[in-house]
């Protein structure tokens, strides 16, 4: 079975970016000139996803507007003969089929995913978290889909991180099965360095089987009074094979200010129109 649907939870409050996120969603903050959410939706599209379900909340309307047609803007660009910009704007609204579900209260990531149950149905699906942006020759989710085609079980993306940083992540315990693929036996949320079962950190890309919905429905509130996805995943892995896939590519944690800054600089340097001049400018800084 192919994975055609993706869930994109975007109902969090984005407190780490306040005050920028007081009246605007974190997902709409731009890296250079493109909102963060668009990078991730492009990854979904390039990986063969046909339908994205975005979980939104109050104050997130600009996400819907961004992926919608903008008649006034399009007419204006057309009248002024700005064809390239017109095509750019139109390509965003024509990208992919998107549905929106409102999570009325931010009750946690597990709860946000559960909000998509009625639209996903009884099929495996992908989950993308907008805080992780992966720059890779083959999109991260496309790499995971290959592993899915072979094994047809739940898969989460993992990244090797230094032991100094393990306590910022969910970490897997597992056994290596083949190149880049691990069979997960347990996962621990933000372990102390000495308690971490490995240096393989979970990042925001998942392929999940629909059984997760029944599990999340029964999952009690955990850390922070929220329904935690990790708690649901730990239950799922007791009954099913569950794999970790070590993807190829560079990941930026754009949910943190430092990750956001790193991605901004590196993406700008890679741009043909901006990179050369920006590189020269950086060289002039007295660091
Ligand atoms: P985070 O824990 O990063 O929270 O959520 P956040 O609100 O986005 O940002 P900070 O930490 O306050 O700065 C991880 C992902 O889960 C979504 C968020 O939108 C983010 O994509 N989420 C979280 C929901 O959709 N609903 C929730 O109730 C919680």
């Amino acid at each position: 079975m192919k994975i055609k649907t993706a869930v994109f939870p975007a109902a969090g409050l984005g407190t780490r970016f306040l005050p920028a996120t007081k009246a605007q969603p974190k997902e709409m903050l731009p890296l250079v000139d493109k909102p963060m959410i668009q990078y991730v939706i492009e990854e979904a599209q390039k990986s063969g996803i046909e339908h994205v379900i975005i979980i939104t909340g109050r104050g997130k309307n600009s996400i819907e507007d961004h992926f919608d047609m903008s008649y006034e803007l399009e007419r204006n660009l057309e009248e002024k003969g700005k064809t390239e910009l017109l095509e750019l704007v139109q390509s965003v609204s024509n990208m992919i089929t998107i549905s929106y579900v409102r999570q009325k209260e931010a009750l946690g990531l597990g709860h946000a995913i559960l909000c998509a149950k009625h639209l996903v149905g009884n099929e495996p699906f992908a989950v993308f978290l907008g805080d992780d942006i992966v720059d890779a020759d083959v999109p991260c989710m496309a790499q995971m889909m290959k592993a899915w085609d072979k094994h047809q079980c739940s898969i989460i993306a993992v990244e090797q991180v230094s032991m100094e940083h393990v306590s910022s992540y969910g970490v897997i315990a597992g056994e290596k099965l083949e190149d880049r693929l691990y069979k997960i036996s347990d996962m621990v949320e933000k372990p102390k360095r000495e308690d971490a079962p490995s240096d393989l950190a979970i990042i925001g890309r998942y392929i999940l089987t629909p059984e997760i919905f029944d599990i999340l429905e029964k999952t009690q509130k955990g850390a922070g009074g929220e329904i935690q996805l990790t708690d649901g995943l730990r239950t799922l892995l007791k009954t099913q094979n569950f794999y970790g896939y070590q993807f190829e590519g560079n990941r930026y944690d754009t949910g943190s200010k430092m990750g956001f800054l790193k991605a901004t600089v590196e993406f700008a340097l890679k741009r043909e129109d901006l990179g050369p001049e920006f590189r020269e400018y950086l060289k002039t800084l007295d660091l």
Side-chain angles (χ1 to χ4, degrees):
M1 188 182 257
K2 288 265 171 226
I3 312 282
K4 288 177 284 191
T5 306
V7 178
F8 186 111
L13 301 175
T15 51
R16 282 173 291 170
F17 274 98
L18 281 169
T21 47
K22 192 177 166 212
Q24 121 178 271
K26 171 174 74 175
E27 294 75 16
M28 289 301 293
L29 297 178
L31 292 173
V32 188
D33 52 9
K34 192 155 71 174
M36 292 207 270
I37 190 169
Q38 194 179 326
Y39 287 88
V40 183
I41 301 291
E42 283 174 2
E43 181 190 326
Q45 189 185 36
K46 285 185 199 145
S47 305
I49 294 291
E50 293 169 12
H51 176 204
V52 178
I53 302 162
I54 302 182
I55 313 298
T56 67
R58 270 176 297 284
K60 302 278 182 171
N61 296 354
S62 58
I63 297 178
E64 291 185 43
D65 289 343
H66 183 69
F67 292 106
D68 196 0
M69 282 188 80
S70 176
Y71 290 105
E72 250 177 64
L73 176 64
E74 287 181 28
R75 206 175 49 234
N76 188 296
L77 294 173
E78 204 172 349
E79 277 168 15
K80 294 197 169 126
K82 295 187 174 174
T83 324
E84 266 183 46
L85 280 179
L86 177 65
E87 281 170 11
L88 180 73
V89 164
Q90 287 174 334
S91 70
V92 179
S93 46
N94 292 331
M95 270 175 79
I96 199 165
T97 305
I98 303 183
S99 307
Y100 298 89
V101 178
R102 207 70 175 209
Q103 186 191 20
K104 290 180 193 152
E105 265 184 283
L107 295 177
L109 177 57
H111 180 261
I113 290 172
L114 191 53
C115 291
K117 179 182 175 179
H118 63 292
L119 286 177
V120 173
N122 195 28
E123 280 189 16
F125 62 102
V127 175
F128 291 78
L129 299 190
D131 283 355
D132 285 320
I133 293 189
V134 183
D135 186 25
D137 293 339
V138 177
C140 178
M141 186 54 74
Q143 297 176 41
M144 293 169 70
M145 297 268 204
K146 265 199 166 174
W148 161 267
D149 286 342
K150 199 166 158 198
H151 300 281
Q152 307 266 319
C153 67
S154 294
I155 301 171
I156 53 184
V158 294
E159 178 183 50
Q160 201 165 28
V161 295
S162 72
M163 284 312 275
E164 260 170 75
H165 292 122
V166 277
S167 52
S168 310
Y169 295 92
V171 175
I172 64 161
E175 157 206 3
K176 190 164 185 174
L177 289 184
E178 55 187 68
D179 190 31
R180 301 193 168 273
L181 199 69
Y182 295 81
K183 182 167 189 305
I184 302 177
S185 54
D186 200 2
M187 41 182 89
V188 191
E189 197 52 50
K190 301 191 170 68
K192 283 193 202 140
R193 184 187 172 138
E194 55 275 21
D195 299 334
S198 76
D199 58 359
L200 294 171
I202 299 169
I203 72 128
R205 301 286 183 276
Y206 309 72
I207 292 175
L208 299 175
T209 54
E211 288 77 21
I212 190 68
F213 290 125
D214 292 338
I215 292 172
L216 286 172
E217 266 170 353
K218 293 187 199 115
T219 302
Q220 303 291 320
K221 285 181 183 170
E226 296 190 340
I227 298 176
Q228 298 285 350
L229 176 63
T230 314
D231 292 341
L233 296 180
R234 292 185 80 202
T235 308
L236 187 67
L237 73 82
K238 286 184 194 143
T239 56
Q240 295 187 352
N241 277 343
F242 205 135
Y243 293 162
Y245 184 81
Q246 193 181 354
F247 63 96
E248 255 177 289
N250 285 329
R251 179 193 64 101
Y252 299 91
D253 170 17
T254 54
S256 76
K257 284 175 202 166
M258 191 48 73
F260 182 88
L261 289 172
K262 286 180 187 169
T264 302
V265 171
E266 291 191 35
F267 286 9
L269 285 171
K270 277 192 173 189
R271 286 268 296 254
E272 272 176 28
D273 55 342
L274 297 168
E277 193 181 335
F278 189 45
R279 180 168 281 106
E280 289 313 309
Y281 165 71
L282 291 178
K283 282 188 200 157
T284 66
L285 295 179
D286 184 12
L287 302 173

